[in-house]
Structures are given as C-alpha cells and as structure tokens.
Amino acid sequence: MHPSSLRPTSVSSAATATVPGAAPRAADAGQAPSKPRRSRPAPDGAPLRPLRRSRSFPSPQALASARSADPQPPDAAAAGNSVRARRPVADVAGKGRSSVHPEGTPGCVDGGAFRRSVPLPAQALPVLRSARDMVIALLEPAQARDAAVVRQLRRNAQVLLGKGIDTPEKLQRFLADAWRHDALLSFAGLGFSNGAGYMAGITAANEKLLSLMPADLLRNPARLGFLAGLGVGALDVLVKVVGNAMMVPRLYNGPSGLERLPGVLRPEVHAERIRNVGLSVGFSVAKNLPRVAEPAVQAAIEGRSDHSVNRAWADRIDASLLDGFGGMLAAGARSVHSLSQSVPYDARMLLRSDLDEVIERTRRPWRESLQEIGPAALEGAKSLVTSPVPVAVVATVGCFIAELFAAGATIDRAGTPAGMPADRADAGMLSAKRASSVLLMGLMSGTIELGVPYVAEGGACVARAVRDGLRRTSSDLMAWAQHRFGAEPLPDIEAGRRF
C-alpha cells in the first residue's frame, strides 16, 4: 500500500468542532481542504479560547469589574503592598530572594525609591535597615533621600552580605573596629609625622644651633629668624611628606574617600578649602594659647619677688614641650577630626563605591601592610623634588619665623626691666612675646593650608605645559631635520604606501 493512503481523509469531531468566536473553517464553507499544517494537533475536547485567555493579561472589562469589587487602598504604598501580596512568589522563593518589600524596607525616607528598586536577598534586609538608620541619623534628610545615595546603600548592602557581614551586630562591630584603627593611626601616626619634624627642628635650634651662628647674624634677628625658619621648615616638610606617604594609605576610610561617594555628598572644593583654613587657624591658636600662660605659672612656681623666670628653662619649656610636643598633639587631633569633617565616618564608609576593597584591606595581615611602607616612603621622598609644594612651604615658614624673631626681639628690648640678669626674663614680657607669636603662627598655618592646593595645581599645570612644549619642540626638530637633510620619510605600513 502506498504511504499516501495512510493519510486520514476525515477529521475527528473534536478537531472540527467550532471554536466560539472563531472564523468558519474552509471545509464548512465548501472550499477544498488545504494542506495540513505541521503543528501539534489540538487536544481533544479542549476549547482553545479559555486556554489562551488564561495565559494572557486580563481584559479591561475584567480589570474594571475587579476594581469595583476590590476598592483601591487609601494610599499608593498600600496599593503597592496589595499588588505585591497577590503576586506569586513561588518562582523566586527557590532562589533565596524576596519579591515582597516589607513596610520597613530601609533606604529612602519615603520608601518610594526602594519599592522601585531591584529586590535584595532576604538576608540583607536587617543589614540594610541598620545601615539606613545610620545614614538617616548622620546625613541631612535631603541627602539621605537622594536617589544615588539610596542606590549606593542598597548595592553596599549586597557587598556587606557577600563579605560575611550579614547581621546588624557584625555591621556595628566592623564600623567600630575600622574607626578605632583609623583614629589611632591618625592621632599617633599622622600626629607624629605632621609634628615631629617641627619639634626636632625648633628644639635643635633653641638648644644649640642658634648659639653657633656668627655674631653678625645674631645681632640681626630678622635674618637669624629667616635662616632658622628655613632649617625648621625643611625638616618639618621632609618628615611630614615622607610620614604621610607611609601613613595615609594605611587608613581604611580616610578623607580621600570623599571621591568615592555619590555626587550629592561631595563638598564643594573652594568651600572645603576655606573650611580647612579656619580649622587650621583654630587648632594652631588653641595649641599656642597655653604658651601665653606658661610664664606666669613658672614665675609662681619659682616665687621670686621680681616676677622673673629662668630664661633658659622658659625657652626650653616653650620650644620643646608646648610648641613642639603640643604641636604633635594638635596635629593628631586635627587628623582625627578630618575623618568626619565633611561627611561622618560611618556614613562615608557605608556609601563608598569601593566598599568591597576597603573590607579586604581591613582583613589583610599586618605583615603585608608593613611590606608596603618602604615603597611608599620612597614615593614620598620622590615628591619632594618633583613638586613645588615643599619649596613653597619652606619659604613660607622662613618668612613667618623671620617676622616672629624680629617682633620678639623688639618686645624683649622694650619689656625687660633695667638691671635684670641675663639668665632671667620678665614673665610679663615673655607672655607678650608669645601672644604675638600666637597670631603669627595662626596666620602662617592658614596661609599654608590655603596656598598648598593652589601651588600644587599650578605646579601640575606648569608640568603639563613643559611636557607639551617639549613634545612639540621634538616634533618640530624632527620635521626641520627631515626637511633640512632630506631624510626619507618612514613608510606608512598600515596604508601600504609611502608619504
């Protein structure tokens, strides 16, 4: 029998049943049957329209009847919760994710941005709530509601969960440990590097070096002060630059983390510089104020009727203890304050775009950190000769200390009573000298703080201009040599031809 004879000549009643609402078949219309389609036959006795309707969106009439039967919730948030409650979650439950956002979903104050965000793992919600509460408490409401802040906080919640920080207690412990590390390193490490050079220089100058100067120089306080200022400033800058190059990269969440925050949290550059100037002046004045009261305390301790003090010990206490060691303490306090100056420490940590790298640094063995200190110190020493900042700072210190020596010499001559022994000094005269130095040192600190960023930017612009000029000069020389000596141009390999 030919295979074509096996083809059915009739169609079952189920297959030829009229589907409600469908067009009449060709056979019913008297037309010749067309070639059967190569599709799976319809199931027997199963109408197609109910099956097709169950897999499609409801019609507008069905939606209208559903709305009339189920009125809208009183607010948009309740409506969203109602829709989410009716949404099936079996398709995502196996993946460990929750598609239903609870009422306490953290992030934005109004919660709208979070309801529109991608669902988070269910385990991350407690950590996200804790982080949200910290951010709202530390930032202004407008900043906490910013969309970029909300997105970054949600992304970092996933980062924290991936790094094993999956409970609010672990989050609190992580932030506390990081703060203790950075605060200790800022106070001890940066305080030492920012103040040890000045302390060593001013102590050496007061104890021995100034007395070794030529007599002509000793009779000129301004020149003597300028020379002493250059020496003290050079040593101060050397220790500060090298020390900061070693210490700053060891911070987990230092002030440089402001560059890793959403744009709404980054401070305006010029306003931040003005704020830094005010803080530097304030810390300098606070550090120098005890120097004004020291002569009166020393005179009371010595108990002399002429209200005089031992000049050598007064200078030693002033230079080494109050000015030098007190400067280290002030530098450490200033470094700790800078950790939360523009953006609070915890908020900056939770909103950094490189939080995963920060967490990895907190878990590195201390031996690896020690191995990087040497190369960092070399980079800091290299910057001493490649940047104009050190020279500008040293010159500024020299000029201010020259003025300080000149003003101090004038007050000393006018305020020393007649017949006072050379090894004694009037306590009131010393207080007047140090009161004038408080103002000069505060002005010097503000000038350096304000000038350093602009000097660095100017030096970078000059360096770029020099590099561009050398590059253009080199090209011009090559072109002139080619034209002058008739050098044959190099072949253009890419184009397969010569110029």
Side-chain angles (χ1 to χ4, degrees):
M1 183 180 294
H2 196 274
S4 61
S5 62
L6 298 176
R7 183 179 303 168
T9 57
S10 63
V11 183
S12 63
S13 60
T16 58
T18 304
V19 178
R25 290 179 177 270
D28 299 337
Q31 300 178 5
S34 60
K35 186 178 180 180
R37 290 188 241 177
R38 297 180 181 269
S39 59
R40 184 177 300 176
D44 293 340
L48 301 180
R49 179 175 294 277
L51 178 65
R52 185 166 58 249
R53 299 294 292 179
S54 64
R55 294 179 178 270
S56 61
F57 290 102
S59 62
Q61 294 81 3
L63 286 178
S65 60
R67 289 194 188 97
S68 60
D70 184 15
Q72 286 284 345
D75 55 352
N81 292 335
S82 176
V83 173
R84 284 191 294 271
R86 293 193 296 268
R87 184 186 304 167
V89 297
D91 56 339
V92 296
K95 300 180 182 180
R97 293 180 177 271
S98 172
S99 63
V100 179
H101 297 275
E103 291 297 328
T105 299
C108 189
V109 174
D110 56 4
F114 276 88
R115 286 192 292 270
R116 294 189 298 270
S117 301
V118 178
L120 281 175
Q123 300 90 334
L125 292 180
V127 177
L128 186 56
R129 291 191 188 98
S130 180
R132 186 278 311 265
D133 293 341
M134 294 182 192
V135 169
I136 291 178
L138 295 173
L139 298 181
E140 297 179 358
Q143 294 176 334
R145 286 193 300 264
D146 186 77
V149 173
V150 172
R151 289 194 300 269
Q152 189 61 48
L153 190 61
R154 292 181 65 86
R155 283 194 292 264
N156 284 349
Q158 293 179 329
V159 171
L160 292 169
L161 186 66
K163 297 296 182 179
I165 306 174
D166 51 3
T167 62
E169 293 75 16
K170 291 182 180 180
L171 178 61
Q172 292 282 356
R173 192 180 310 118
F174 164 69
L175 294 175
D177 292 343
W179 164 254
R180 281 194 297 268
H181 172 274
D182 286 355
L184 180 61
L185 187 61
S186 296
F187 186 79
L190 294 179
F192 178 83
S193 63
N194 290 336
Y198 181 83
M199 177 182 178
I202 202 69
T203 300
N206 179 67
E207 293 291 339
K208 193 66 177 178
L209 295 182
L210 290 182
S211 62
L212 299 178
M213 296 292 118
D216 293 341
L217 191 61
L218 291 175
R219 288 192 291 266
N220 191 330
R223 292 173 56 191
L224 179 64
F226 183 74
L227 184 61
L230 291 180
V232 172
L235 185 59
D236 182 32
V237 169
L238 173 63
V239 176
K240 181 181 297 185
V241 171
V242 176
N244 287 359
M246 294 188 297
M247 298 297 172
V248 170
R250 309 281 84 77
L251 294 174
Y252 297 151
N253 186 29
S256 60
L258 293 172
E259 301 174 359
R260 303 286 188 171
L261 297 180
V264 70
L265 299 179
R266 298 176 190 172
E268 201 276 329
V269 176
H270 297 287
E272 185 69 8
R273 290 176 180 175
I274 296 299
R275 186 185 300 113
N276 289 335
V277 170
L279 289 171
S280 295
V281 173
F283 275 94
S284 176
V285 171
K287 182 261 295 186
N288 286 306
L289 282 178
R291 299 173 54 213
V292 179
E294 187 274 335
V297 176
Q298 184 178 351
I301 293 173
E302 294 185 6
R304 293 178 62 94
S305 58
D306 57 356
H307 198 63
S308 65
V309 296
N310 184 285
R311 183 183 289 269
W313 274 105
D315 291 341
R316 187 172 289 120
I317 293 172
D318 177 55
S320 300
L321 180 61
L322 299 178
D323 198 13
F325 185 72
M328 292 177 59
L329 296 180
R334 176 73 178 91
S335 299
V336 173
H337 179 270
S338 66
L339 293 177
S340 300
Q341 176 179 317
S342 301
V343 178
Y345 183 89
D346 289 350
R348 186 167 70 243
M349 178 71 85
L350 293 172
L351 295 172
R352 291 178 65 113
S353 60
D354 59 342
L355 181 59
D356 52 345
E357 301 175 7
V358 174
I359 297 175
E360 289 299 325
R361 287 206 307 269
T362 63
R363 298 173 178 177
R364 293 175 57 190
W366 61 271
R367 291 184 180 87
E368 295 184 9
S369 297
L370 290 179
Q371 292 174 357
E372 298 177 356
I373 289 180
L378 293 178
E379 288 295 325
K382 179 183 177 181
S383 67
L384 291 172
V385 296
T386 59
S387 173
V389 172
V391 177
V393 172
V394 170
T396 303
V397 174
C399 293
F400 273 93
I401 293 187
E403 180 62 26
L404 179 63
F405 270 49
T410 301
I411 296 174
D412 196 348
R413 287 193 298 266
T416 300
M420 180 74 66
D423 62 337
R424 308 292 299 180
D426 182 71
M429 181 271 297
L430 290 180
S431 295
K433 288 175 62 174
R434 294 173 187 178
S436 67
S437 72
V438 169
L439 301 177
L440 285 174
M441 297 299 283
L443 183 60
M444 181 185 72
S445 299
T447 302
I448 293 175
E449 187 71 35
L450 180 63
V452 162
Y454 294 104
V455 171
E457 292 174 0
C461 291
V462 171
R464 286 195 299 268
V466 170
R467 285 195 300 267
D468 294 343
L470 291 176
R471 190 178 298 110
R472 287 194 299 269
T473 302
S474 176
S475 300
D476 294 343
L477 286 176
M478 292 296 295
W480 175 82
Q482 180 180 343
H483 176 75
R484 176 68 177 79
F485 299 105
E488 187 176 3
L490 294 176
D492 187 355
I493 300 176
E494 181 180 357
R497 59 181 179 79
R498 290 180 176 271
F499 285 103

